[in-house]
Amino acid sequence: MNLQNLIRPNIYNLKPYSCARDEFKGKASAYLDANENPLNAPYNRYPDPLQNDLKEKVARLKNIDPEKLFFGNGSDEPIDLVVRIFCEPGVDNIVAIDPTYGMYQVCADINNVEYRKVHLLEDFSLDVDSVLNAVDDRTKIIFMCSPNNPTGNDLNVNDMKKVIQSFNGIVVIDEAYIDFSSRKSFLTELDQYPNLIVLQTFSKAWGMAAIRLGMAFACPEIIGFFNKVKYPYNINLLTQYFVGEEIKKLKRKEDWVEMLVSQREKLIDQLEKLPMVQKVYPTDANFVLVKVNDANATYRYLVEQGIIVRNRNNVSLCLGCLRITVGIPEESTLLIDTLKKMK
Ligand code: PMP
């Protein structure tokens, strides 16, 4: 892979903004360089633009070199950055599985980058040949999401590897829901595939969607371009500090995942017994895709009862489907009891 051929020339040649915190490292007796208010410590100071302390901690947790780690304002930030770094508006294109997480297309559309959808097969597995056939010499990125949203299933690892090995561009594997899956993360494969970017997030299993911290893992060269293009202080001090404390509670996160996975299995069991349910699709995530007799009516009824699920009726291959997040046992009971009462 020749990174220079893949990156937009203006980004390759970009001279990034150099902030005060980039220029001086170490301890000083007076910080008079950044036009901050000297009072109200520690909130008066700009945060570390590269989040080095937190990166050390998260890199240890993930057993990876901190140079291969980028933090974004949610994993939505690296999704947008990857489009802006690699795709020339009006010229380059992106190939992605369909259906999948909606932000890949939104970011492509915002940047005026053609977005080519390749349907998953009937069982939501990856159609490797169709993905590769959709590629042309202006395709810069292939997006795959596993476990996939909204279908819930993991894509086959060997199928994903075939795509990574056969494509001469950037492959993004979005692992937002990886903690709920029994498959191994692609993080261990990073050294083997310099064209691979893996996305993960603190928004799901770690229970921190509100504080907005997402991760992109890639070779240090690609991470360097993320750092060049991002806003200087994209991760605020409160988030950096808070996540540093929360990740000490690894056992709590693992207990949550265990609880949610067992809840998921119980929920599937109960849903399958409802006459209105035609099919519960296999899932490796913390949600289930359920085909019901009348998705719109069921969605509206649940909203009236104060229960909010996601109506995926209009999404390709998801006709008649609702996407239901796995909650605590009381929420599953409420959902099932409410559905039983629907006329
Ligand atoms: N990827 C997938 C597959 C998602 O479903 C989501 C959020 N629903 C995200 C990324 C973005 O998550 P965040 O920005 O909170 O990290």
Side-chain angles (χ1 to χ4, degrees), residues 72-77 79 100-101 103-104 145-149 174-177 199-204 208-209 212-215 287 323:
N73 186 322
S75 44
D76 283 338
E77 184 181 356
I79 291 169
T100 194
Y101 180 45
M103 278 304 284
Y104 314 143
C145 184
S146 178
N148 187 35
N149 177 6
D174 187 339
E175 293 189 336
Y177 300 98
L199 302 181
Q200 294 186 2
T201 180
F202 285 101
S203 297
K204 308 295 175 185
M208 289 187 264
R212 312 305 300 134
L213 193 71
M215 296 160 274
F287 57 85
R323 193 194 70 193

Side-chain angles (χ1 to χ4, degrees), residues 242-299:
F242 186 70
V243 175
E245 291 301 304
E246 289 288 285
I247 58 173
K248 292 177 186 164
K249 304 170 199 166
L250 180 62
K251 169 83 169 58
R252 186 185 66 165
K253 189 269 288 187
E254 286 169 350
D255 289 347
W256 283 344
V257 168
E258 198 183 307
M259 181 277 285
L260 290 168
V261 168
S262 95
Q263 267 310 297
R264 174 179 84 192
E265 300 313 310
K266 283 187 194 141
L267 180 65
I268 292 171
D269 223 44
Q270 290 171 310
L271 284 166
E272 279 173 341
K273 292 192 182 114
L274 298 177
M276 65 159 59
V277 169
Q278 293 177 15
K279 183 170 174 131
V280 182
Y281 289 91
T283 177
D284 301 289
N286 66 333
F287 57 85
V288 282
L289 190 72
V290 186
K291 192 175 186 118
V292 294
N293 287 340
D294 186 339
N296 290 340
T298 309
Y299 173 77

